[in-house]
Amino acid sequence: MLFVLCGAIFLEGIDVAMLNVALPSIRADLDLSTGMLSGVVSAYVLGYGGFMLLGGRAADLLGRRRMFLFWLTVFLLFSGLGGFATEGWMLLVARFVTGVAAAFMTPAGLSIITTGFAEGPQRNKALLVYAGTASAGFSLGLVIGGVLSSIDWRWVFFAPVILSAVILVLAVPLIPKDRPEHSGHGFDMAGAITVTGAMLLLAYAVVRLEHPAEGLGWTLGAFGAALAFLAAFISVERRSAEPLVRLGILRSGPLARANLGAMLFAGSFFGFQFLATLYLQELRGWTTLQTGLALLAIGIDAVLAPTLTPRLMERFGNVRVIFGGLVIAVVAYALFLPVGLDWTYAAMFPTMILLGLAFALVYGPLTIAATDGIAEREQGLAGGLLNTAFQFGAALGLSAVTAVNVAALGAGRSPGARLDAFQAALIVPVAAVVLAAIVTAFGLRRAGTPGSVPADPAKAGVEPAATGARP
């Protein structure tokens, strides 16, 4: 079962990474404008970010196995549609629906793990293997995407079809059946509509931050509408007899810190990865394959997460390991700040390997922290919240570094001016991960002995209903 679910999260990571490196080839073949090309990336973000919270709760209410299998099938079909695209709009539709499929599939898979393994060392080890596989998918996807793009960019869409078909065949007998919390009668439709509208509008507004000159009014309007939908959602949930999201879960201090830390950490990493790609390809003239190989060292997380991290967690505790990983990430980004036009890869390597170590110490333990002590019937919701935080963090990080880079560059186009703008934008990942470390530090005072859980759920910020006992 774990093998199948790790395959699914590997599929998601490799799918995103391969598309990122294939964009220039897609633009050249289909003659897409810059706006349309950006839309291909944004469409996935909209689908993923917009439906993630609903997807997490749907896994709890309608069945984790059912949601996982159904949306894995949708992922397969629409990834194939992208490979047959002859127009930009076909790619937009394919990527949006693929993002929606991932939004339902990912929290379902995560909650199958958290409910299928006993809370404690067994679940922690499974989650660390899962997190390492996700990182490996993204890292290897950069390399594989470069290879496939050099053959034909359409294979970037067809390869996930083959992989998802294999996973689907294995998942049918291996994923255990579960009893849905809800049959669908009396489903909180008003809550589903308002929260999805809020997430879609928020994702759209975040994406538009990358282009501040293209209608600031629309961006602010989208943020305002998102807040209005969010306020309506909270009002609906307070009155609903069967709320889509039990608002009390948001009062959990560890869960809130884990999600905020995840958002900031994801923003720092994806912002850095975007800048590093621009530096290597546009300033240094490296190929997509060379760039992917340069970033491959970060994938050491796939080895360290299931081997080193469990030992450190057992000795120092979850929160201290996360904090240590964030401090290492600060050092990694800071080492890259003085980057020059003539840097060798040996000078870049310490940043890459330290980021791999930081990922091993942060990503998996954050997943554990965000789902620890949460009732089985709300594990999908907890997974949805965490993945929403990661997704919006990544979008915010990309938007922030893009905005700073464009503002610092101005009218300059010389290599020196572009390097200065690149270095200015590098401050964003450093600042984001410093904030993540500060947020995590607040949990250090409350952290008990390594591997312990609070005896009183209320003191941990979790209502009694979230400890596993049904009201």
Side-chain angles (χ1 to χ4, degrees):
M1 181 187 75
L2 182 61
F3 176 79
V4 169
L5 297 172
C6 284
I9 197 66
F10 180 87
L11 168 68
E12 183 201 335
I14 201 172
D15 175 76
V16 173
M18 288 195 303
L19 180 67
N20 286 347
V21 297
L23 289 174
S25 301
I26 294 173
R27 188 219 292 264
D29 189 27
L30 298 184
D31 193 26
L32 302 182
S33 66
T34 300
M36 179 63 77
L37 194 68
S38 175
V40 171
V41 178
S42 301
Y44 184 88
V45 174
L46 286 172
Y48 200 125
F51 287 85
M52 176 63 75
L53 194 55
L54 177 60
R57 195 59 180 136
D60 293 328
L61 298 177
L62 305 178
R64 300 177 182 95
R65 183 178 188 272
R66 180 189 303 171
M67 289 292 99
F68 182 83
L69 295 178
F70 176 79
W71 288 103
L72 177 59
T73 304
V74 175
F75 189 100
L76 183 158
L77 294 174
F78 278 84
S79 185
L81 176 63
F84 288 111
T86 56
E87 301 287 343
W89 69 265
M90 295 177 68
L91 280 178
L92 290 178
V93 172
R95 291 308 292 170
F96 178 77
V97 179
T98 302
V100 173
F104 281 85
M105 181 178 71
T106 303
L110 178 59
S111 62
I112 290 171
I113 293 178
T114 55
T115 56
F117 290 87
E119 187 171 358
Q122 187 183 32
R123 181 192 292 180
N124 292 349
K125 188 173 182 179
L127 288 175
L128 290 171
V129 172
Y130 184 76
T133 307
S135 176
F138 187 83
S139 300
L140 291 174
L142 295 171
V143 180
I144 297 172
V147 174
L148 293 179
S149 297
S150 64
I151 301 172
D152 189 335
W153 65 264
R154 297 182 186 276
W155 276 104
V156 167
F157 291 89
F158 293 145
V161 171
I162 298 172
L163 181 56
S164 54
V166 172
I167 295 170
L168 184 60
V169 169
L170 294 174
V172 172
L174 292 177
I175 300 297
K177 294 182 179 180
D178 59 317
R179 185 167 61 89
E181 177 71 21
H182 204 288
S183 64
H185 177 69
F187 186 78
D188 182 13
M189 188 58 66
I193 293 173
T194 51
V195 75
T196 303
M199 293 297 103
L200 279 170
L201 286 164
L202 187 58
Y204 174 71
V206 167
V207 168
R208 286 190 63 87
L209 286 175
E210 297 181 24
H211 313 286
E214 297 179 8
L216 181 60
W218 279 102
T219 304
L220 295 176
F223 273 119
L227 291 175
F229 266 89
L230 190 59
F233 168 70
I234 293 173
S235 177
V236 167
E237 298 307 278
R238 283 177 172 172
R239 295 190 177 102
S240 177
E242 295 184 52
L244 184 72
V245 176
R246 185 180 62 82
L247 298 178
I249 196 175
L250 303 177
R251 291 199 291 268
S252 165
L255 182 142
R257 283 191 296 273
N259 280 276
L260 185 55
M263 184 177 70
L264 291 167
F265 181 68
S268 71
F269 175 75
F270 283 94
F272 172 80
Q273 183 263 330
F274 176 73
L275 291 173
T277 301
L278 289 182
Y279 166 75
L280 293 174
Q281 293 191 25
E282 295 189 357
L283 279 177
R284 302 298 299 275
W286 290 24
T287 65
T288 54
L289 180 57
Q290 289 173 319
T291 301
L293 289 171
L295 297 173
L296 187 60
I298 301 174
I300 191 69
D301 164 55
V303 177
L304 297 179
T307 55
L308 174 65
T309 307
R311 297 178 183 177
L312 293 176
M313 287 177 59
E314 184 178 353
R315 181 170 181 181
F316 299 107
N318 196 10
V319 179
R320 292 180 179 88
V321 170
I322 294 172
F323 182 76
L326 293 171
V327 171
I328 291 173
V330 173
V331 174
Y333 295 136
L335 287 175
F336 213 80
L337 285 175
V339 64
L341 292 173
D342 56 351
W343 265 31
T344 63
Y345 183 66
M348 307 176 208
F349 184 75
T351 291
M352 305 303 175
I353 201 70
L354 284 175
L355 274 182
L357 176 59
F359 233 100
L361 299 182
V362 175
Y363 184 52
L366 276 175
T367 304
I368 295 168
T371 56
D372 218 17
I374 303 299
E376 179 176 322
R377 63 193 178 89
E378 292 185 320
Q379 284 292 328
L381 172 60
L385 287 168
L386 179 68
N387 283 289
T388 299
F390 272 120
Q391 187 65 25
F392 276 103
L396 282 170
L398 288 170
S399 297
V401 298
T402 300
V404 173
N405 185 63
V406 170
L409 183 60
R413 289 295 180 267
S414 67
R418 292 163 71 187
L419 180 64
D420 290 342
F422 170 76
Q423 290 174 327
L426 276 173
I427 299 296
V428 174
V430 176
V433 80
V434 167
L435 286 174
I438 292 172
V439 169
T440 304
F442 282 103
L444 290 175
R445 297 177 303 172
R446 300 170 180 260
T449 57
S452 68
V453 294
D456 182 359
K459 292 180 181 178
V462 183
E463 291 187 352
T467 64
R470 296 180 184 274

